[in-house]
Amino acid sequence: MAEYNKNMSPEEEDRMIEEAYQDVLNAYLASNHRKKVEIIERAFRFAKSAHKGVRRRSGEPYILHPIAVAKIVISELGLGSTSICAALLHDVVEDTEFTKEDIEASFGSKIASIVEGLTKISGGIFGDKASLQAENFRKLLLSMSTDIRVVLIKMADRLHNMRTLGSMRPEKQYKIAGETLYVYAPLAHRLGLYKIKDELEDLAFKYEHPQKYAEIIAKVSESEKHREEIVEEFVGPVRKKLDAAGFKYEIKARVKSAYSIYNKMETKKIPFEEIYDIYAVRVIFENDDDTLERIHCWEIYTFFTDGHKVHPERLRDWTSTPKANGYRALHLTAMGPDGKWIEVQIRSRKMDEIAELGYAAHWKYKTGVHEDDTELDKWMNTIKDILANPEPNAIDFLDTIKLNLFSAEIYVFTPKGDLITLPAGSTVLDLAFAIHTQLGTHCIAGKINHRLVPISYKLDSGDQVEIITSDSQTPQPEWMQFCNSAKAQNRLRAILRKDRRHLTERGKKLYDEFLEREGVENTPDVMTRLLGNLHLPHKEDLYLMLANDEINLSAKQLKDLNKTRSSLLSKILRNPFSSKKQEERKTPVNRKVIYVLHPDEDKPNYKLDTCCQPIPGDDVLGFVDENEDVVVHKVSCPNAMRLKSSFGSRLVATKWGGVADRFLATISIDGIDRRGILEEITGVISRDIGVNMVGLTINARQEVFHCEITLQVDNSETVENICRSLKEKIKGVKFAKRIS
């Protein structure tokens, strides 16, 4: 299809639209679906007419977006005519004068209900207000629990928006990329849409860290030829065995995504060259008999073990116990020709489709009730459970959902041998709540292999667990720290909330009586400052402590309120925009242009938050508070991630406009200990590079030392130079990396 350009004539534009639609139709005709071309044709004509004259921000005709979403729906998700029609029509109800009833009259109730589900969650999950954000996310999950196709088409919509993010302003790019990493990528992961998850993460990474993205892609490309040679040498003997055994198969070399590589480099603080699992090998075999699928996987496994050393602790059998999103495969890790470990994934063609497309593939294979759907049903029930008892705080609500989206799984057994899937890190208490709320409410201990363990005990895959209960046991607030699953947390909060309600009411009455006695007006400002002084997050906590006689309020505390105020962003994640009122308001920050940071001025034109300590050279972005101050975070800061997702309208794209010798950075150094090595390290830093040291700790044990030095630096490049110089100039220094 031709690329859009702004000089196209109306005739050329129309021809381009028709070609794009024909691509969708060709992909549909090439699939295994029943050929319902007539209804797809009508949906396209309807959408084209409805969006006539409307353009996207890039200038191209709007109809190209629904067509692109429909193309993803058929080509990358493998869905059928109902989903293609819904994708073509997904913006009609929201953006034009047509209603759900119009869609239903023309295309039937199923397509109309999917379009309505998509309309409810349009405009991004996140509004400008946290309450709106949570409400929209609830709508997404409710829609998903009635028809999974709603969220699959929403994924296709988000993927196309990410692919065309370049036409948006920088601060919008940060908002949409942050939103994608915070919710859409984990949701894709949980639905088994690994291919889409990887692309969403890579695109978000590309816009958040453009320079690092380009560096990693360049390094992956540079090593491609060498990688191909290594993989071919590695799989050569296996190919011969597969051919001799009569397998029809294909072998693919898969490269780790740029975002995964970056994450590993950041988490482990290692350079690109030290990541050993950049590539993996995938063997996909054709299989006509489902009963022989697992046997064939293990047969191919033996072909690898015959000629290669296999890592004993990295065998993963997902063939007999699928992941909660339906993923099935046999994984092993073997030693490659260059002395680096290579992961091998063995899958049948059906396993591969489910691995790539998750529940989109299940939809395709589904004929009535399918055994693979049971795990999805369990997960959906957890989602419905959370929706039935939603968190009042929007950020807490999202975190509860994310806990359930992100978690890897473990598999444990009941005394009767029933298999239960739980998030990794789950405790005895999590298991009790997973089986039944009453069991969780009265749980006092667990029994594993005839050994009693406390409710806080973390379970491992394969444990057979008996829950011990007592009628006298009642849930306690401290149990929250023993719950690592969303279901248990949600149930426990609901129970505690009921118990707390009457105590909270009593505490509120005591608070109101106290203020009346002291002659102080009961205003939100008084409450906010009192909570700040007492270091309490919510007014309910104050009411509970008053009701339980844990604190007493005095007239002195009220006087002290006028002397102290909470710092601007110290509680930003609880109350993102609380600050003291200023008589003089600053000039509003223009969020549509890139805000230039000037650390070299006497009074910098920004503020730094304490959570991530960015320095010039780091990828940063700004949040504009209610006093129009720009507060700077690293793009990858976890707090920034939550704020990007929740308060996108307060974002401003930033860049460094200078450097200044006023920033602190800490480097970690490891190596072989010897006499005089510390003197050499400090010499390189202070004498050779001329940087001031403000803190130093060193520990040496059995000839190995670990040292952390805090430096006063001007930018990140200086820190990188110091780390490089230490490794190159000082014998015995093995690692030197920035840790803050």
Side-chain angles (χ1 to χ4, degrees), residues 394-453:
I395 295 286
D396 287 348
F397 171 77
L398 273 177
D399 281 348
T400 304
I401 290 288
K402 274 180 67 65
L403 185 68
N404 210 43
L405 290 175
F406 257 144
S407 54
E409 295 93 20
I410 59 168
Y411 305 93
V412 296
F413 298 90
T414 66
K416 291 181 180 176
D418 294 330
L419 178 71
I420 293 179
T421 306
L422 291 169
S426 289
T427 62
V428 168
L429 192 57
D430 286 308
L431 175 63
F433 274 110
I435 297 169
H436 197 281
T437 302
Q438 284 302 310
L439 208 59
T441 305
H442 299 296
C443 176
I444 56 169
K447 191 189 280 186
I448 302 175
N449 303 331
H450 310 292
R451 181 168 59 96
L452 276 178
V453 293

Side-chain angles (χ1 to χ4, degrees), residues 587-640:
T587 307
V589 173
N590 184 351
R591 320 217 179 139
K592 295 182 180 180
V593 298
I594 294 176
Y595 187 84
V596 181
L597 308 171
H598 292 292
D600 46 344
E601 292 179 356
D602 290 340
K603 190 179 180 189
N605 61 338
Y606 60 88
K607 295 184 177 182
L608 292 180
D609 210 334
T610 54
C611 50
C612 55
Q613 296 180 309
I615 67 177
D618 289 341
D619 292 330
V620 290
L621 55 83
F623 294 94
V624 183
D625 66 31
E626 65 177 10
N627 291 323
E628 296 299 317
D629 283 322
V630 174
V631 183
V632 179
H633 285 263
K634 285 183 187 173
V635 169
S636 53
C637 166
N639 288 350

